[in-house]
Amino acid sequence: MKSRLLSWLLALLSFATTNSQNNLPPVYEIKNDSVIAIRLNDAYWQMLEDPHGKWTIDAVSQPPIGDKFHVNTTKKNGIDYSIKAYWVRYRFRNSMTHEANISIQKKITFADLYTRDSIERWKLKSTETGVLWSNRNDLKLITSLSYTIAAGEEL
C-alpha cells in the first residue's frame, strides 16, 4: 500500500430541481431521526476516477465528465492506488416534518465535500486527517462534517 492514502473528493449534489443531470443515483430518504449511522448501499452512490487529481467540482458536475460517474467497482476490482483522486456523489432527502441533522465522517486522508446552495453556488467543507486542524470545518476532533436539511429538502 502506498504511503499516501487516496484523496477522496466527495461531491454532494444539489437539489434535483436545479440539477440538469439525469444519471444521478437515487435519493436516500431520511425517514426518521433515530438512526445512529447510515451505511449507504452501493445503489445510492456513484464514483468517478480522477486519474491526475486535477478536475474541479464544476467539471465533474456537468457533461462530458459528469456523465462518466458509475457504480462502485472497488469491491470487484479493488482500489487503484495510481488514481490521484476519486469523486463520489450521493443525495439525501429529508422526508420528515422537521429538519434533519446529518454528519458525514470518512476515515481517509483528505475529504472535500461540496453542496449547492439555493442560488446554485458551490459551498465547500474540508476535513480528515491530512487537513490541517485550522483548515478543517465542523467537528475537527473526529473529522466529521455536519449538515442541516430542512423538512422536504434534498441535499
Side-chain angles (χ1 to χ4, degrees):
M1 188 172 173
K2 290 188 173 188
S3 61
R4 282 191 234 170
L5 294 176
L6 294 176
S7 173
W8 283 83
L9 299 173
L10 304 177
L12 293 174
L13 294 179
S14 68
F15 305 122
T17 57
T18 63
N19 198 321
S20 63
Q21 296 175 333
N22 59 6
N23 63 338
L24 294 172
V27 175
Y28 182 87
E29 298 276 344
I30 300 171
K31 297 178 181 178
N32 62 57
D33 52 9
S34 63
V35 176
I36 303 281
I38 298 171
R39 291 192 64 104
L40 283 182
N41 181 296
D42 285 348
Y44 289 101
W45 64 278
Q46 298 171 335
M47 62 186 290
L48 175 65
E49 297 84 353
D50 183 350
H52 306 290
K54 294 185 178 185
W55 291 336
T56 65
I57 185 62
D58 290 323
V60 302
S61 61
Q62 57 193 356
I65 296 172
D67 292 337
K68 296 178 183 180
F69 274 90
H70 57 83
V71 297
N72 179 15
T73 57
T74 59
K75 290 179 183 174
K76 179 180 174 186
N77 302 333
I79 295 174
D80 182 350
Y81 289 95
S82 69
I83 302 292
K84 300 294 182 199
Y86 285 85
W87 290 83
V88 179
R89 67 182 179 187
Y90 42 89
R91 303 181 305 158
F92 294 105
R93 179 180 298 127
N94 179 4
S95 297
M96 300 185 296
T97 58
H98 57 279
E99 69 182 22
N101 295 302
I102 63 170
S103 182
I104 299 170
Q105 180 181 13
K106 291 285 183 192
K107 294 178 180 161
I108 54 177
T109 306
F110 296 96
D112 291 336
L113 284 88
Y114 294 89
T115 57
R116 247 191 207 153
D117 64 17
S118 60
I119 57 172
E120 297 198 35
R121 291 179 301 187
W122 287 112
K123 296 176 83 177
L124 168 66
K125 288 187 177 187
S126 298
T127 194
E128 296 312 327
T129 58
V131 177
L132 292 174
W133 179 274
S134 59
N135 293 339
R136 292 180 193 172
N137 296 103
D138 297 344
L139 305 174
K140 297 176 188 246
L141 185 60
I142 60 171
T143 60
S144 184
L145 298 173
S146 300
Y147 294 92
T148 299
I149 307 172
E153 277 192 7
E154 189 176 303
L155 180 67

